[in-house]
Amino acid sequence: MNDSYLQFVNSPFGARLARSLGLPRPEVLRRYRADRPEFEGLVAIGGGREPRLFDALANLVASIGVTSVAHASAGLWVPLATRHGLLTGRFEAAEPGSPGRLAALLFDASGIEDSSQLAPLYQFFHDTLRSLGKCGRIVVLGRPPQACASPRQASAQRALEGLTRSLGKEAGRGSTANLVYVAQGAESGVEATLRFFLSPRSAYVSGQVVSIDAGGAGDTGGAHAPPAFGWAQPLAGRRALVTGAARGIGASIASVLAAEGAHVIGIDIPSARDALDATMRQLNGTALAFDIAAPEAAAQIAAALDELGVDIVVHNAGITKDKTIAKMTEAAWQSVIDINLSAQERIDDALLGAGILRDGGRIIGVSSISGIAGNRGQTNYATSKAGVIGRVQSMAPSLRARGITINAVAPGFIETQMTAKIPLAIREAGRRMNSMSQGGQPVDVAQTIAWLAHPGSAGVTGQVVRVCGQSLIGA
């Protein structure tokens, strides 16, 4: 579905008219394309008191091949970068009104232990934000507040959330801002997450807080150490199950996972068999026509996968049957709960119980912003999607023993056939009420899932990541 307003105000005539009338002009987001460099431009580095993640950042900068410039707050960066053989320089503020010259802003706040030590954050972003270019990236790194040694340290680290979410709303021009909490001992497991948040793959992910724990993030040995992979096709040799894969977001998820090297097994209802076959044929994948609402479906899926097993399970299938609860039938309530939530439970029980989902695997559920904020006329849908979040948060600790991660994505307004049927006024509100002032694309959800499925994301579990352009609705 096309956003006619976005296209118009970014045309030569539309841009002039928007400027003259003072109309908002959403930026055309830069999304990942295989024929364009994923990383380029200057990255400004800043740091608070005793930054403890500079070594990890130096490894990242060297790996993605960008040039760094050090802000005055990052006094230790230049000698460290020199030891790593990196091209680096000193940051010089741009003149007010001059075009942005920075591709990304990275700030290491991991050493901040008291609110009195937050001043370098002001200094860094005060000096650098006006130099950030279109579709720029802001990433702040800290320590998980719940693991801090003192209430003062926890308070200072928790303060980073308010800062980062505010930066996402102030940066504009299609830029994003996200916060990554890195547990002590997980420093070597940050690269996959930082690559995602710095790349065009995260075009519609902003204002998010992600924690990386040490339970699997930095392991280089042991039974559940992340397997070897290449950055070009990190999922090569892995098998991925995607439900609701015939079309829409599900087809996009399947396509991105296949592009990352996975063999995709797509599931959809028998009536969608033709579309499912066509989608899987394009990806050299496998099509399985099952109705996941059927009582026998979980056992059938497990039997179909038993011989080779699976490494990634993406629960994408879902339905809506919208009515206010006073007008909703019991059947409409039950069918939405069953397909959107209970079927996930049955499938996972079957795959985990039989060991078909291999140790070190990934489970990713598709929730929704409705499951976080609720939505009028969607009590059944919001209940089911909140339940997906409950599964993720409750199952993560027990699955950790097998090296399996479980996470969820929560899409906001995504341009699909379903949202195309929403009345115009509500559709426009959904598009504009976020920091990007536009709807997302199915590929935005798919790229976020691919990051969570990545072998380098072993330390990311129990997380709920909104793909909503930093929606103004909900927390």
Side-chain angles (χ1 to χ4, degrees), residues 2 7 41-43 86 125 127 138 152 195 203 253 307 328 340 364 371 378 393-394 418 423 428 462 474:
N2 292 326
Q7 294 175 339
L42 289 174
V43 176
L86 302 176
F125 289 109
D127 293 346
I138 300 169
R152 284 181 177 266
R195 278 175 170 258
I253 294 168
E307 184 177 347
M328 185 182 297
N340 294 6
I364 301 135
Q378 285 194 320
Q393 295 174 338
S394 62
M418 183 177 72
E428 281 301 299

Side-chain angles (χ1 to χ4, degrees), residues 95-399:
E95 294 295 325
S98 63
R101 64 187 185 90
L102 297 176
L105 311 178
L106 279 171
F107 190 95
D108 181 355
S110 60
I112 292 176
E113 297 181 345
D114 189 279
S115 61
S116 63
Q117 299 166 3
L118 293 170
L121 288 157
Y122 162 77
Q123 295 161 359
F124 177 73
F125 289 109
H126 172 77
D127 293 346
T128 60
L129 193 59
R130 71 183 64 182
S131 296
L132 187 64
K134 293 180 181 179
C135 299
R137 297 288 183 265
I138 300 169
V139 180
V140 178
L141 297 103
R143 295 297 196 191
Q146 65 272 19
C148 288
S150 70
R152 284 181 177 266
Q153 183 185 13
S155 298
Q157 290 295 321
R158 181 59 176 79
L160 301 177
E161 296 190 26
L163 168 87
T164 306
R165 289 186 170 123
S166 297
L167 289 171
K169 295 176 179 179
E170 290 186 6
R173 305 173 76 198
S175 296
T176 66
N178 293 286
L179 171 62
V180 180
Y181 284 131
V182 184
Q184 195 160 1
E187 292 82 358
S188 63
V190 303
E191 185 169 353
T193 295
L194 293 181
R195 278 175 170 258
F196 173 70
F197 282 129
L198 290 173
S199 84
R201 299 176 191 267
S202 60
Y204 203 61
V205 181
S206 188
Q208 299 307 288
V209 180
V210 171
S211 292
I212 302 176
D213 69 39
D219 292 345
T220 56
H224 306 308
F229 62 88
W231 290 109
Q233 283 202 316
L235 302 182
R238 290 153 180 84
R239 288 164 55 82
L241 176 70
V242 181
T243 67
R247 55 177 65 87
I249 292 176
S252 186
I253 294 168
S255 177
V256 169
L257 294 181
E260 297 282 279
H263 177 83
V264 178
I265 303 103
I267 292 180
D268 219 309
I269 54 178
S271 61
R273 182 64 194 250
D274 289 346
L276 179 64
D277 285 344
T279 298
M280 291 300 109
R281 191 162 47 246
Q282 291 176 349
L283 306 177
N284 293 318
T286 301
L288 297 177
F290 293 128
D291 180 358
I292 63 171
E296 66 279 8
Q300 291 174 332
I301 293 167
L305 299 174
D306 186 37
E307 184 177 347
L308 296 175
V310 71
D311 304 283
I312 300 159
V313 176
V314 182
H315 294 292
N316 166 72
I319 63 170
T320 58
K321 291 192 176 181
D322 296 352
K323 290 282 186 181
T324 59
I325 197 166
K327 298 178 180 179
M328 185 182 297
T329 65
E330 184 176 355
W333 169 275
Q334 191 55 48
S335 62
V336 169
I337 299 295
D338 189 53
I339 292 173
N340 294 6
L341 178 58
S342 300
Q344 294 190 21
E345 295 172 328
R346 294 192 295 266
I347 292 169
D348 284 349
D349 284 349
L351 299 184
L352 289 167
I356 295 168
L357 176 60
R358 292 191 276 255
D359 289 359
R362 304 283 185 265
I363 300 173
I364 301 135
V366 177
S367 180
S368 169
I369 197 76
S370 294
I372 297 172
N375 198 19
R376 186 181 187 278
Q378 285 194 320
T379 52
N380 51 359
Y381 185 76
T383 300
S384 69
K385 294 303 186 179
V388 171
I389 294 172
R391 293 190 71 235
V392 164
Q393 295 174 338
S394 62
M395 292 177 67
S398 61
L399 291 176

